[in-house]
Amino acid sequence: LKNFVKYIAYVLNTYIDENILKTARDLIFSKLIHLPLSFHNNTNSSELINIINNDIPTANGALIPSIAPAIRLPVEILSSLIILITFSPLLTVISFSTSIFSVWFVRVLRNYIKKYSSRIQESNVNMLSRLQESFHNIRIVKAYSNENYETQR
C-alpha cells in the first residue's frame, strides 16, 4: 500500500510538473511573439530559443520541489525554536549568533554562483547563435567553401 501511494504521488507530481512547464513555455512564447519587431531585431533568436528550451525547465526544476518544503519548513522551524527555548535559552542565543556568519557566507557564495551562471548562459547563447547561423546559411557557407572557417568559429 505504501509503495502504491508513493507511485500515485510520483505520477501526480510528474503530471503537475509537466503541465506547469507547458503552461510556462506557452506564456513565454506568447509574450515573445507579441513583442515589437525592434525587440526581435536586437535579440538573437538563439537566445530566445535558449530561454524557452533551457531556462524555463531550469526554473521549473528549481521551484516545483521547493513548494512542499516551503509549507513544511516554517512549521518545523517554529516548533524547533519553541523546544530549544524551553530547554536552554542561552544555547538558543548562541546558536542563532553563529547562524549569522553562515547566512553571510551563503550570500557571498550565491553572488559568485550568479556571476558564474551568467557567464555560462552567455556562452551557451553564443554557441547556439553560431550553430543557428551556420545551419541557416549552409548554402552560402558551402558556396564560398567556408566550412573550415565555420568549424573554427
Side-chain angles (χ1 to χ4, degrees):
L1 183 64
K2 177 183 167 185
N3 289 335
F4 179 72
V5 171
K6 280 185 179 181
Y7 174 75
I8 295 297
Y10 176 76
V11 169
L12 288 175
N13 283 338
T14 302
Y15 178 75
I16 292 169
D17 289 352
E18 292 300 321
N19 279 338
I20 290 173
L21 183 64
K22 184 184 181 318
T23 304
R25 280 185 170 155
D26 290 344
L27 287 172
I28 297 287
F29 181 74
S30 176
K31 293 285 183 184
L32 289 173
I33 290 298
H34 290 94
L35 288 173
L37 189 58
S38 60
F39 172 80
H40 291 285
N41 288 337
N42 296 330
T43 307
N44 286 336
S45 60
S46 60
E47 186 175 353
L48 300 177
I49 292 169
N50 189 36
I51 288 170
I52 292 174
N53 193 35
N54 294 333
D55 292 353
I56 294 174
T58 301
N60 187 41
L63 291 176
I64 295 299
S66 64
I67 291 174
I71 296 168
R72 186 185 74 240
L73 288 177
V75 173
E76 287 181 6
I77 290 171
L78 185 61
S79 60
S80 297
L81 184 61
I82 291 170
I83 292 171
L84 284 172
I85 289 174
T86 56
F87 282 143
S88 176
L90 180 63
L91 285 176
T92 305
V93 169
I94 291 172
S95 66
F96 278 111
S97 65
T98 58
S99 67
I100 293 171
F101 173 74
S102 299
V103 169
W104 173 81
F105 186 69
V106 167
R107 285 188 178 187
V108 169
L109 285 177
R110 182 188 64 184
N111 290 337
Y112 172 76
I113 290 172
K114 276 185 179 179
K115 289 177 186 175
Y116 184 70
S117 175
S118 296
R119 287 192 303 238
I120 289 174
Q121 193 73 2
E122 188 175 319
S123 172
N124 195 14
V125 166
N126 289 337
M127 178 199 62
L128 287 173
S129 176
R130 288 182 184 156
L131 283 172
Q132 184 180 15
E133 288 171 3
S134 296
F135 289 141
H136 282 303
N137 300 317
I138 193 71
R139 289 182 181 94
I140 296 170
V141 169
K142 291 199 171 282
Y144 290 102
S145 300
N146 278 341
E147 292 95 344
N148 290 335
Y149 173 76
E150 289 297 323
T151 304
Q152 290 173 358
R153 260 180 70 192

